[in-house]
Amino acid sequence: MRGGLSAIIKKELARFFTDPRSVITTILLPGLMIFALYSFMGEAMTGLYRVSDDYEAQVYVVNMPESLRPVLEGQGTEIQTAAPGDLAGLRDKITNKEVDLLVVFPEGFDQAVAARLSAKGGAAEDGVGLSVSPTGLAAPPNVEIYYNSTRTESSGAYEAASQLLQGYRDTLFTTYTVNAVPDPAVASPYDLASAQDQAGFIISSLLPMLIIIFLFSGCMAVAPESSAGEKERGTIATLLVTPLKRHELAIGKIISLSLIALLAAVSSFVGILLSLPRLIGGAPEGMADASIYGLNEYALLLAVILTTVLLFVGLISVLSAFARTVKEASTLVMPLMIAVMLVGVLGSFAGAQSNLLYYLIPAYNSAQCMAGIFSFTPNVAAIGITIAANLVLTAACVFALTRMFNSERIVFSR
Amino acid sequence: MGVVLRAERLTKTFKLSKKQQNLEHTAETMRTAANNLSFDVGKGEVFGLLGPNGAGKTTTLRMLSTLIKPDSGDATVEGHSIVREPEQVRAAIGFLTSELRLEDFFTPDYLFGFFSQLRGIDAATTERRKRELFERFGISEFAGVKVGSLSTGMKQKASLVISIVHDPGIIIFDEPTNGLDVITARVVTDYLKELRDSGKTIILSTHIFSLVEKLCDRVGIIIEGRMTACDTLDAITRDASLEDRFFELFVEAGGEVA
């Protein structure tokens, strides 16, 4: 009786969509919440590591060498000189976040550097090479930079000062450079990855895991209600005394719940796509623009996601059918949720698996396939196996659910 | 009068849970709810299963309506075995008990359509029957109100109507007036009479003697899972009242009236 299947699907959808509360909490809210939360998180995180433009760092220097004075003072930060006797007091002030940076040069820094320069030059001329340390030479002069890593302004000043000093050292001792960039303001020309690939890389390491989690939560929001809930309220027996075939009931429920769960997942997906630019500050241009993916990628993605949802709904429905109440069902599904998330996370962080057998593992296979699709390197055989595995397992769930609807012990368990 | 329902040696045993054992102060782990029950119901007949609570009436009716399977024995409904052809049996009967609930979220109007569709009834017939039945039970006014918001009596009437959307020839009714308010109970009893007069076969279970006397042509008395007597009402009662006759049988079967 075909009418049975379509009646069940229509009823489940009507149950959901004519109830504004369930539509709002299951479909609209997740997307909105994720957008708001991730945008806020992104903004907050960027703000955490950003130093206000007009901030004046409090920098003290002891024993400022004449050679470095123009370089250091040319940075636009007012540098205050301190006497060696102030050291202890200044270090306390850094701990207390009153001063940002203290640079202590050893006495006679310039002379010590000059001595090492001439010694090295001589060694090189002897043909001994730079790697051999000439004997009888004093240890290299050490510049001490004190800072406070818990204060963003202090860390920033430390970064700038150590870069400056290392740069100065490099200009003195350089024999060759690697990937020299004449102007730090220009992006490095050496990374040849396309902007699209870079965006894909970031998305593929982030989204698969999130999508798996969203899919599962979407399924969790609807599936236990539908199988354990009907048992709890005693409405399932009313269905079971009609000529409706048990497998029609099982298939009808899984299809309709999957549609709803899919919508919930799409809502979360849109929410995260919209919040991506703010979540990943400093991402490449054009990043998080969903349009970097074409129809091909979206079609593959949809196929993977759809079969994953079917499987999740199937698994949750089977577990829920064992439960007597919705509450009990949620408890039963918890271990499954933890397992799925763990496997999903593993699947999105691991490098692409070339052994196709791994694509038989639910959730792991979906995460791996999505990571491949997002990074523009989809493995068609793996996606095929994933879809087939998901469908076969869903069919097994339908079979199990059908058996359960036939079992008086399960339907009438009290 | 042809036989439309024949039960042959229906037997059903349940495991008692620890909780039930404590509740009933018993050490037995198994309970035989139905023990070799055999009976026939003729077309157009009203057959009553009479017995105290826990005698096995509900179990028997659940087996007949294919919600549960007998451990042994079988029954045929219009020639279809409840064990091998449950779908045909379900198509032939209307089963109603207070345990079959309607989803609170939907309206009687929607549910009538939904269950008609499940039973493969065309739209025109569905509309006609809906109008008739809603009118007959005074549901029309509440057809668009969610079941959850209906009064208990109205819910029960809606349940009744929805269990017979397909105009079944055989109606199985577990404790028809249990838990109903007096007015609804009267409406239901009257409707059962109407159904009987229109030639439907009715099987009902009850522990209310007056209901049996009012409605039933034949009656089977079940005590502790066994069919103690099964005959026409007149043959069973003879010159005594049904109540007196029942207690005679009850004591004969080893029952104790405290």
Side-chain angles (χ1 to χ4, degrees):
Chain A
M1 193 174 71
R2 284 272 91 158
L5 182 61
S6 78
I8 291 291
I9 293 177
K10 268 193 273 177
K11 188 211 76 169
E12 292 287 339
L13 293 180
R15 168 80 183 81
F16 184 83
F17 284 105
T18 50
D19 183 3
R21 215 181 325 171
S22 56
V23 174
I24 290 171
T25 54
T26 315
I27 295 190
L28 291 180
L29 267 187
L32 279 174
M33 292 279 288
I34 281 164
F35 175 70
L37 194 73
Y38 281 23
S39 298
F40 175 76
M41 257 170 58
E43 291 284 330
M45 269 159 57
T46 330
L48 202 60
Y49 298 110
R50 195 191 293 140
V51 180
S52 142
D53 289 339
D54 49 6
Y55 179 76
E56 273 289 332
Q58 298 288 312
V59 180
Y60 287 82
V61 174
V62 176
N63 295 331
M64 172 77 91
E66 284 315 308
S67 57
L68 276 167
R69 186 180 294 278
V71 184
L72 286 175
E73 287 181 348
Q75 291 305 305
T77 304
E78 195 190 335
I79 292 172
Q80 306 171 56
T81 29
D86 302 335
L87 278 182
L90 283 170
R91 279 202 290 254
D92 282 347
K93 281 189 174 168
I94 290 177
T95 306
N96 295 333
K97 300 181 183 174
E98 291 159 24
V99 167
D100 294 316
L101 201 69
L102 168 63
V103 186
V104 183
F105 288 94
E107 279 197 54
F109 177 79
D110 282 340
Q111 289 85 332
V113 170
R116 290 188 71 82
L117 262 180
S118 62
K120 287 215 169 151
E125 274 157 32
D126 292 345
V128 180
L130 286 171
S131 57
V132 179
S133 181
T135 47
L137 205 63
N142 182 40
V143 183
E144 296 170 324
I145 311 174
Y146 296 97
Y147 69 107
N148 186 333
S149 62
T150 58
R151 182 167 155 83
T152 311
E153 289 80 1
S154 179
S155 301
Y158 168 73
E159 293 285 334
S162 45
Q163 256 179 30
L164 210 66
L165 287 171
Q166 280 166 22
Y168 175 67
R169 181 191 60 198
D170 286 350
T171 58
L172 294 180
F173 289 91
T174 297
T175 46
Y176 62 87
T177 57
V178 176
N179 277 1
V181 181
D183 181 359
V186 177
S188 162
Y190 301 105
D191 183 358
L192 298 180
S194 67
Q196 195 196 37
D197 275 351
Q198 290 180 37
F201 180 75
I202 295 175
I203 293 181
S204 72
S205 57
L206 194 73
L207 277 199
M209 175 185 65
L210 289 175
I211 291 178
I212 294 277
I213 294 173
F214 295 152
L215 289 181
F216 201 88
S217 350
C219 299
M220 268 302 277
V222 287
E225 226 301 303
S226 178
S227 51
E230 285 229 33
K231 249 173 91 175
E232 186 177 1
R233 295 188 299 269
T235 52
I236 195 146
T238 318
L239 284 174
L240 294 179
V241 290
T242 70
L244 174 72
K245 291 193 175 65
R246 272 50 172 160
H247 69 260
E248 289 179 324
L249 181 58
I251 294 173
K253 274 189 180 291
I254 288 180
I255 288 179
S256 49
L257 296 175
S258 296
L259 279 175
I260 299 169
L262 195 66
L263 280 179
V266 165
S267 150
S268 308
F269 185 71
V270 169
I272 192 153
L273 276 184
L274 292 179
S275 58
L276 263 180
R278 263 176 276 189
L279 184 61
I280 313 168
E285 276 304 305
M287 162 79 217
D289 189 350
S291 64
I292 63 170
Y293 298 108
L295 207 60
N296 204 11
E297 278 87 16
Y298 279 114
L300 287 173
L301 197 63
L302 187 70
V304 171
I305 287 182
L306 196 61
T307 55
T308 310
V309 167
L310 283 172
L311 178 59
F312 284 175
V313 166
L315 287 172
I316 298 174
S317 298
V318 167
L319 280 180
S320 307
F322 276 112
R324 280 165 293 194
T325 63
V326 178
K327 209 173 149 195
E328 202 183 307
S330 311
T331 317
L332 274 179
V333 176
M334 259 321 149
L336 176 68
M337 183 164 104
I338 293 167
V340 161
M341 289 189 178
L342 200 69
V343 173
V345 168
L346 284 179
S348 35
F349 283 139
Q353 224 1 292
S354 51
N355 186 344
L356 290 177
L357 281 180
Y358 279 92
Y359 291 90
L360 293 175
I361 308 172
Y364 181 86
N365 56 10
S366 310
Q368 281 267 299
C369 287
M370 285 191 272
I373 295 168
F374 281 130
S375 56
F376 302 97
T377 51
N379 179 343
V380 177
I383 293 175
I385 290 178
T386 300
I387 291 173
N390 284 346
L391 288 178
V392 167
L393 286 170
T394 308
C397 288
V398 168
F399 181 73
L401 205 55
T402 306
R403 291 287 300 268
M404 291 171 87
F405 286 149
N406 254 323
S407 157
E408 58 201 66
R409 202 172 315 159
I410 284 176
V411 174
F412 295 106
S413 65
R414 285 284 146 101
Chain B
M1 199 156 59
V3 170
V4 288
L5 188 147
R6 167 166 288 160
E8 284 168 291
R9 311 178 68 80
L10 281 178
T11 300
K12 182 74 185 178
T13 313
F14 290 110
K15 257 200 196 106
L16 286 188
S17 67
K18 272 266 170 295
K19 203 164 116 193
Q20 286 165 309
Q21 285 179 28
N22 290 339
L23 217 65
E24 298 179 23
H25 307 288
T26 172
E28 56 181 340
T29 52
M30 299 295 276
R31 160 81 42 93
T32 305
N35 195 346
N36 266 315
L37 291 182
S38 301
F39 56 91
D40 288 347
V41 180
K43 188 168 168 52
E45 200 172 60
V46 179
F47 182 84
L49 280 175
L50 181 68
N53 286 340
K57 306 184 298 283
T58 299
T59 304
T60 308
L61 294 191
R62 279 187 176 181
M63 283 192 279
L64 293 178
S65 57
T66 76
L67 274 177
I68 59 179
K69 290 184 190 72
D71 295 338
S72 66
D74 197 351
T76 52
V77 177
E78 288 186 346
H80 301 291
S81 155
I82 58 165
V83 180
R84 291 184 311 275
E85 306 162 287
E87 271 138 33
Q88 283 89 328
V89 172
R90 289 198 284 266
I93 61 163
F95 179 54
L96 189 66
T97 110
S98 53
E99 282 174 11
L100 300 184
R101 307 250 166 74
L102 299 176
E103 276 189 71
D104 281 352
F105 179 79
F106 291 113
T107 62
D109 188 55
Y110 179 89
L111 288 168
F112 196 98
F114 170 63
F115 280 96
S116 298
Q117 202 189 343
L118 280 188
R119 293 187 174 276
I121 298 163
D122 65 81
T125 316
T126 302
E127 272 313 306
R128 184 177 50 78
R129 272 193 69 75
K130 183 159 75 183
R131 226 181 15 252
E132 282 169 15
L133 287 170
F134 279 12
E135 199 64 41
R136 170 70 183 75
F137 285 93
I139 302 174
S140 308
E141 211 182 312
F142 303 95
V145 179
K146 284 184 183 174
V147 169
S149 312
L150 293 177
S151 68
T152 315
M154 196 55 71
K155 264 185 213 171
Q156 282 158 335
K157 287 196 278 187
S159 256
L160 165 71
V161 163
I162 278 157
S163 67
I164 52 170
V165 287
H166 53 309
D167 198 11
I170 301 170
I171 291 148
I172 301 180
F173 217 147
D174 189 15
E175 305 277 6
T177 55
N178 230 16
L180 297 189
D181 66 82
V182 282
I183 300 163
T184 317
R186 180 61 191 240
V187 173
V188 169
T189 331
D190 287 350
Y191 188 64
L192 284 174
K193 278 186 201 155
E194 263 174 54
L195 287 173
R196 179 187 60 187
D197 296 345
S198 66
K200 306 281 186 198
T201 309
I202 299 169
I203 298 150
L204 58 87
S205 77
T206 184
H207 57 265
I208 302 167
F209 302 109
S210 61
L211 192 71
V212 176
E213 285 169 329
K214 216 182 290 174
L215 286 173
C216 296
D217 303 308
R218 287 170 67 239
V219 62
I221 294 176
I222 301 186
I223 294 167
E224 297 204 341
R226 286 173 196 281
M227 187 67 87
T228 333
C230 181
D231 211 330
T232 60
L233 191 58
D234 293 337
I236 284 189
T237 52
R238 279 171 276 174
D239 40 2
S241 75
L242 179 62
E243 187 171 347
D244 291 342
R245 188 69 193 117
F246 173 82
F247 282 107
E248 278 175 40
L249 287 166
F250 188 68
V251 172
E252 272 171 38
E256 278 179 35
V257 186

